Amino acid sequence: MIEAQRRAYLEAMDISVWLQKPAAADRSRLIIGPGSGGSLLVCSQAEDSASPLAGDICRCLGDNPVWAWPDREGGAESLALENAIDEFLFTRVLLFGQSLASGLFSGPIEKVIGSARIMLLPGLDELKVSAGARKELWRQLS
């Protein structure tokens, strides 16, 4: 008997059917976008990396930075931050937003991982609306 038919019979007899929930996405794994520079810029979603502000940040850095975002689907090609740093030889990681950083680190945010210096910056949403946050960002990047 097929599973769907079996479940329908049980439900018709008023017997509760329990289904296994899919595992929650691991927020500590990242999808790594295209690029070849030594800087990894981690934002909260893929769309953020295509914003005009993201373009300004890339121009300020001077190389061809790589954008990354959390893997909400749990794909096999996603990497943990430490593995991405080791595999792509990043020397600088910019994390945009405290909530994003909290998802990547179980404890305090490390200042250095492997060969990369970690910088926690305001989220891109905050940078879009706060002149003070943008001023601090440009100061830290220069």
Side-chain angles (χ1 to χ4, degrees):
M1 186 179 296
I2 9 182
E3 184 63 29
Q5 213 174 15
R6 194 169 137 240
R7 193 170 33 246
Y9 281 131
L10 290 171
E11 287 174 353
M13 293 186 293
D14 202 25
I15 298 174
S16 298
V17 178
W18 291 46
L19 299 175
Q20 183 176 2
K21 284 184 166 181
D26 185 0
R27 291 180 47 207
S28 67
R29 298 187 63 81
L30 300 171
I31 295 174
I32 309 297
S36 60
S39 298
L40 177 66
L41 286 64
V42 185
C43 57
S44 59
Q45 56 190 359
E47 296 79 28
D48 289 344
S49 66
S51 70
L53 178 59
D56 291 342
I57 293 169
C58 289
R59 282 188 290 282
C60 177
L61 293 175
D63 62 357
N64 185 16
V66 179
W67 284 92
W69 47 88
D71 182 9
R72 289 175 173 58
E73 305 297 320
E77 69 281 351
S78 63
L79 296 170
L81 179 60
E82 297 83 9
N83 295 344
I85 290 169
D86 289 341
E87 188 172 323
F88 294 97
L89 304 175
F90 294 118
T91 57
R92 176 171 45 182
V93 176
L94 281 64
L95 302 175
F96 291 98
Q98 179 64 47
S99 63
L100 171 69
S102 297
L104 294 174
F105 295 94
S106 57
I109 297 167
E110 299 178 36
K111 300 288 184 197
V112 175
I113 298 176
S115 61
R117 183 174 60 123
I118 310 300
M119 297 173 65
L120 178 60
L121 302 166
L124 290 174
D125 290 338
E126 182 182 347
L127 289 168
K128 288 177 188 176
V129 297
S130 171
R134 284 192 305 275
K135 184 177 179 180
E136 181 61 22
L137 168 71
W138 302 132
R139 187 191 68 72
Q140 287 188 27
L141 294 181
S142 57

